[in-house]
Structure formats: structure tokens, C-alpha cells
Amino acid sequence: MNKSDKKQKNRLFETMKIIGPGVIVAAVVIGPGSVTTASSMGAGHGYTGLWLIVLACIFSYFYQEAAIRITMYKEHSVFEAIRLNLSPAISKGLFFLVFVVMLIAQASNFIGAGMAMNYFVPQLSITAWAGILIVLAVTIVLLNKENILDSFTKILVFLMVSAFVITAVVSQPNAAELVREGFSFKIPGGKWMLALGLFSTTMVPDTPLAASVLNKERYFLADTQEAKLPRDKKLYRAKLDLAFGLVITGLITASVLICSAAVLHPQGLSVNSAADMAMQLTPLLGRYAGILFSLGLWAAAFSSGAYRIRLMGDYFNFAWGHEKEQPIKFDRIIYIVTGLVPLILAVVFGGAPIALVVFSQAILGILLPIITLILWVLVNKKEYLGEATNNIFQNIMFAILFVITLFLAVRTFINIMF
């Protein structure tokens, strides 16, 4: 190996080492709701929604970057920043709000994973599979082996990318049509709520909370070489990792939409669930396509569900001001409750899982402007962040984001009430 090849290999190795929290957050983002929404959009409106996925990833960068800035400059998670700079009551109140919302979202995740497994083993019901997978996820988290969970989650993300991208390629999309329609910047079918729904599947409300926790653990709590890096280096690596994670998120969501647009849209077929998408692909592209899509759905749902169980204990500790090293007995209780309540919901909604997926997406939409506003206030506190406070461009992006998310939340609330 010559010096040039060796240098290139070392550069690639250094780049790969940066990958971490961003990919894990991508696993949290991509769940049954994302897959269902992208499938439905592609089947109903072709490639028209592709530009919305790109736009959502761009806004999501600014949304999560604000949390990363807080962590790198102050060594605080978002919950700590709220507790120390706003009030402990707001920190605890936000935790309870996120906790309740995520219990509903968790049921959606595991029902989605159950749908995927039911495709392979239909002898077991979706509800039975959801119960088995919840027990498995809680067991993995209770083992308290974070490095194992991290590695397993990254493997599932790789599985997602492989399954969905291969399925999209096999569907043989028309490249010219994809570019022409996908970036026409039109609202698909003039349906603003559907467009906002696709937007909100990427702008998942708890991503800044997760990003701040994971980056704090990686760069400040772990006994590694990364923890010894200067702040500027940490910030650079964290932002690059965030960008990589969002590319993965966009690639997966776009692949699902492209596959649905290329195969189902010309046939006039509709999609009501991610599992429905797998069933529709089987007669058109062969059983292997249904298998690949179901594998991707399972990886998306299970990785999102398992890691959210793990994060909920961290959210609690930081919201209440407990140190990570302290053996907090509530951790295990929270892990078990985060598994038990979704199991009950899975049983209740087992006969109508799509209703739960749709409802969980609606609830997540309501939470989004609340966290956006709190983050916006924090990153404009000069006495707290100093030179790291928002510049004019960042404030413009946050203003646009807040208006979009508030509109989404109000429309969602009206839909739920009436």
C-alpha cells in the first residue's frame, strides 16, 4: 500500500469514527409513521413529495444543531439547560409531556414491528408479535449495555438503508420523471395537511433532546479520547455526524417514496399502512421485494422503539437533576413502564393498528412547536450561551420553523377535536 492509499484509508477511518449519535437519532426518527406516510404519498402523488423530504432534513439540521451547540458550549443536555435557565418546573413538565406522548408513539413503533414480523410468520397475530418485541427491547435496555445497544441500532440502520434503497432501485424509477416531478416544488395534490404530515415525520419533536443526551454522553461523560478533544473539534465532529444522520434519514424516506411512486402510483393502488406496502409489492416485484420491505420496516420500528425506551431514563435524570453515575431506582421503573403501557395500547388497538399510528403522528405534531419554542428561547440567551447564541440567519430559520410547526399543531388539534 503506497502512502496515498494509506492516507486515504486513514481519512476514511477517521470519518467513520465520527459517526455516532446522528445515526442513532436517524434510527429514532425512522419508524412506522415515516414509512407509512412516505408510502402513501408516493402511491397517491408519485414523486411530487421528494422536495419536502429534502426541506424537512434541512430544517431538522437547524432544529438539532441548536441542541448540539448547547451541549458543546455548556456540557448540558436540553433538559438540564431548561432546568437551569428557565425553571425546574418547566423541565419536569416537559418530561411528563414527552413521556406521555412517547408512550403512544412507542405503541405505534412496536405495532409497526409486529406488522413486519406478521408478514413472515402470519400464524402469530400483530399484537402477539408486538408483545414479544416489547419484552425483547426492554430486556436489552435493562441489561444496561449501552455499547451493545448502540452497535445493534447502527446495524439496524444499515439494514434499513440496504432494504429500502435496494427495493427502490429494483422498482426502476424513471430518472427524468423523478427529477422533474420530485423537485417541482408543488404541494402534492394541493393537500397541505399531507405535505405537513410528511414534513413532521422527519421533524420528530424529541430529536434535539436525544441528540443532546447522546452527544453529552459521547463527548463529556465517556472515558475516551473523544472526551479529551478541544471544544471546536467536538463541535465540528458533532455537526458532521448530524449531517450524516440526516442524509441517512432523507435517503431512507426518499427510497420508500420512490419505490411507492414507481410501482404503485402507475397502478392506481393505495397504501394505508407500511405492511400494506409490502403486500402490494409482492405481486408486482416478487416476494423478495415484500421480504426486503418488511425487513426494513421491522428494523425501522424496532430500532426506534428500543432506543426510545433507553433514552427515557436519561431524560428523567437530566430533567430532575440526577447525575448519570448515580444508581437511580426510577430508571428501571421508567424502562418497564415505557414498555408496559405500549404493550397495553398494542392489545387495545391490535385490531386497528393504523388508527394508533395515525394518532401517534398527530400527537407528535402537537409537541413539535412546544420544543421548538423552548429551544429558540435557550439559544437566544446571551448570558447563557455567549458567543454561541443564534445569529440572524439561524433566528430566521427558527421563526419559519416555529410558524410551520405551530400551524401543523393547530390543524392537528382541530382534526382531533372535531
Side-chain angles (χ1 to χ4, degrees), residues 36-264:
T36 300
T37 306
S39 300
S40 180
M41 176 75 82
H45 305 282
Y47 304 110
T48 318
L50 273 176
W51 70 276
L52 287 166
I53 296 172
V54 176
L55 184 67
C57 287
I58 292 171
F59 273 104
S60 191
Y61 177 86
F62 289 95
Y63 186 52
Q64 294 183 54
E65 187 273 341
I68 289 173
R69 234 184 310 146
I70 289 170
T71 303
M72 293 305 162
Y73 275 84
K74 305 304 294 187
E75 300 184 25
H76 293 155
S77 69
V78 171
F79 274 111
E80 287 175 297
I82 295 169
R83 180 168 50 82
L84 296 171
N85 290 277
L86 300 180
S87 83
I90 294 176
S91 178
K92 293 173 183 179
L94 181 62
F95 169 79
F96 277 120
L97 186 58
V98 171
F99 186 56
V100 171
V101 170
M102 288 309 155
L103 289 179
I104 299 170
Q106 284 293 81
S108 169
N109 279 327
F110 287 110
I111 283 180
M115 285 179 181
M117 293 306 296
N118 179 256
Y119 180 89
F120 298 107
V121 186
Q123 290 80 4
L124 277 179
S125 67
I126 292 173
T127 306
W129 272 119
I132 292 168
L133 294 170
I134 286 172
V135 171
L136 176 61
V138 172
T139 302
I140 292 172
V141 174
L142 286 175
L143 289 174
N144 202 26
K145 301 292 183 182
E146 291 175 4
N147 57 332
I148 295 175
L149 183 58
D150 287 358
S151 300
F152 182 56
T153 303
K154 289 174 185 176
I155 291 169
L156 291 182
V157 171
F158 175 75
L159 177 59
M160 271 191 274
V161 173
S162 302
F164 290 135
V165 171
I166 290 172
T167 309
V169 171
V170 169
S171 68
Q172 298 181 334
N174 184 306
E177 191 177 339
L178 186 152
V179 174
R180 186 176 64 255
E181 287 186 12
F183 296 93
S184 62
F185 303 104
K186 295 178 181 177
I187 298 299
K191 297 179 180 177
W192 282 89
M193 283 308 295
L194 184 61
L196 288 169
L198 184 63
F199 187 88
S200 67
T201 59
T202 302
M203 283 288 303
V204 179
D206 65 324
T207 49
L209 309 178
S212 66
V213 166
L214 295 171
N215 277 286
K216 175 167 181 172
E217 290 174 353
R218 184 178 195 183
Y219 290 108
F220 298 103
L221 296 180
D223 185 18
T224 61
Q225 290 297 320
E226 290 173 323
K228 299 172 185 176
L229 292 171
R231 184 179 66 195
D232 290 347
K233 189 75 171 177
K234 290 177 181 177
L235 185 61
Y236 168 77
R237 290 166 71 102
K239 286 184 178 183
L240 190 61
D241 176 47
L242 168 61
F244 182 80
L246 287 170
V247 168
I248 294 293
T249 301
L251 182 62
I252 293 171
T253 311
S255 294
V256 174
L257 186 145
I258 289 168
C259 179
S260 185
V263 179
L264 305 185

Side-chain angles (χ1 to χ4, degrees), residues 11-20 218 244:
R11 191 181 295 117
L12 178 64
F13 181 70
E14 286 299 315
T15 303
M16 291 301 292
K17 285 202 302 184
I18 293 174
I19 297 170
R218 184 178 195 183
F244 182 80

